[in-house]
Amino acid sequence: MENKKTALLVMDLQNGIVSRFADKQEILKPFQQAIQAARQNNIQVIFVRVGFSEGYFEVSQNNKIFSAIAKNAGMTFTDVSTQIHESVEPIQGELVITKYRVSAFTGSNLEVILRSQQIDSIVLSGISTSGVVLSTLREAADKDFSITVLSDACIDSDPEVHRVLIEKIFPRQAEVQTVDSWIDHLK
């Protein structure tokens, strides 16, 4: 893996999503380790968040997840809930991309940035395994990216769904590694 052609995607680690978990400090450790390793190895770190404009013009009534958000208000670009959690805050030179759907690619400029920077290998981390990670992995595979999933830097509210995806589904299209094994591979 050539580091200059690789990007670590840190997806949906925003206040409104991280706040759903009781033990934030513990669950965020693998993400922090992966981000630190990427920075030390000249791997581009890209943060991806979901957010909407005031008025929710991007939200269809047919979308069950996002129409409920629009109905209850919140999750706009400027809302505290859409800001990257302070424990994994971006540093200068790291991008924060806003998406409008579950996949990091849909409605964002992620693919344009990756292609412009000649990045062909992505490392996925995020909340949730059955949401943003699954959707992004599937789309990235169709776009011919080389994909690694950091199994312990992915979280899902349903541990069994997480296990099935990590052990049975994701290996069909990606390398699945722990953060520690990924870091060892970088050395």
Side-chain angles (χ1 to χ4, degrees):
M1 174 173 17
E2 189 178 328
N3 294 352
K4 290 183 181 180
K5 292 186 170 201
T6 302
L8 170 65
L9 303 186
V10 182
M11 302 180 292
D12 291 0
L13 263 71
Q14 58 196 68
N15 293 323
I17 295 174
V18 171
S19 68
R20 297 176 189 163
F21 294 88
D23 193 3
K24 293 172 207 46
Q25 205 168 22
E26 191 62 33
I27 65 163
L28 293 174
K29 282 182 184 177
F31 295 98
Q32 293 165 334
Q33 291 173 304
I35 292 166
Q36 181 180 8
R39 289 172 178 163
Q40 290 172 345
N41 287 279
N42 297 315
I43 294 172
Q44 178 70 54
V45 179
I46 300 174
F47 293 85
V48 179
R49 68 180 185 153
V50 63
F52 306 100
S53 59
E54 297 288 337
Y56 302 95
F57 299 105
E58 307 86 1
V59 177
S60 166
Q61 292 178 358
N62 296 330
N63 188 310
K64 287 184 178 184
I65 295 170
F66 295 138
S67 64
I69 290 171
K71 189 181 291 183
N72 295 321
M75 298 283 292
T76 60
F77 300 134
T78 58
D79 194 75
V80 162
S81 66
T82 63
Q83 306 313 305
I84 303 300
H85 193 269
E86 65 184 8
S87 66
V88 292
E89 221 166 34
I91 60 172
Q92 189 167 355
E94 293 176 342
L95 300 168
V96 177
I97 292 175
T98 301
K99 64 187 175 91
Y100 301 98
R101 292 294 183 266
V102 179
S103 170
F105 289 101
T106 305
S108 78
N109 58 352
L110 177 61
E111 184 175 9
V112 171
I113 289 169
L114 295 174
R115 302 281 186 213
S116 296
Q117 300 303 307
Q118 299 177 333
I119 293 170
D120 59 9
S121 178
I122 57 175
V123 180
L124 304 180
S125 67
I127 302 173
S128 76
T129 313
S130 62
V132 68
V133 180
L134 172 62
S135 294
T136 303
L137 181 145
R138 292 291 200 189
E139 195 165 345
D142 282 346
K143 294 177 183 298
D144 298 323
F145 285 94
S146 174
I147 307 162
T148 300
V149 175
L150 300 178
S151 60
D152 52 343
C154 293
I155 302 167
D156 201 276
S157 59
D158 185 329
E160 180 61 11
V161 169
H162 172 82
R163 185 193 67 75
V164 169
L165 288 169
I166 292 293
E167 293 178 10
K168 297 180 181 274
I169 306 298
F170 291 174
R172 295 177 186 168
Q173 294 179 299
E175 294 294 321
V176 178
Q177 299 179 342
T178 64
V179 171
D180 286 341
S181 65
W182 179 65
I183 292 170
D184 287 344
H185 182 72
L186 295 175
K187 296 176 182 176

